[in-house]
Amino acid sequence: ISGVGLRLPKEDRCRILSLIEGHALVVSSFGKESLADGDSLVIPAACGPVVIEPTASAVMLETLPNKSP
């Protein structure tokens, strides 16, 4: 992620964001959370869209669990 924010759409399942490198601000309907190297954040399924705003260049991993059948 570099420069402008990245908007992630609403999911019907939780997601896990892990910041591998850099710093970023995660903004959602639940508020704002600052992440640094090695931090992870669970976004609940009830949360709307999420915006990730890097403070500089950042590397982030998004993990989504399997959907229930």
Side-chain angles (χ1 to χ4, degrees), residues 1 8 15-24 26 34-43 50 52 58-64:
I1 307 167
L8 301 177
R15 65 175 78 195
I16 302 165
L17 301 177
S18 298
L19 193 63
I20 307 302
E21 181 180 303
H23 292 84
V26 179
S34 181
L35 299 180
D37 293 353
D39 287 345
S40 293
L41 181 66
V42 176
I43 307 293
V50 173
I52 301 167
V59 177
M60 183 171 280
L61 173 68
E62 177 186 25
T63 306
L64 295 168

Side-chain angles (χ1 to χ4, degrees), residues 2 6 23 29 31 33-34 36 41-42 46 48 50-51 56 64 66-68:
S2 182
L6 172 66
H23 292 84
S29 60
E33 188 69 36
S34 181
L41 181 66
V42 176
V50 173
V51 176
L64 295 168
N66 291 333
K67 289 186 177 185
S68 300

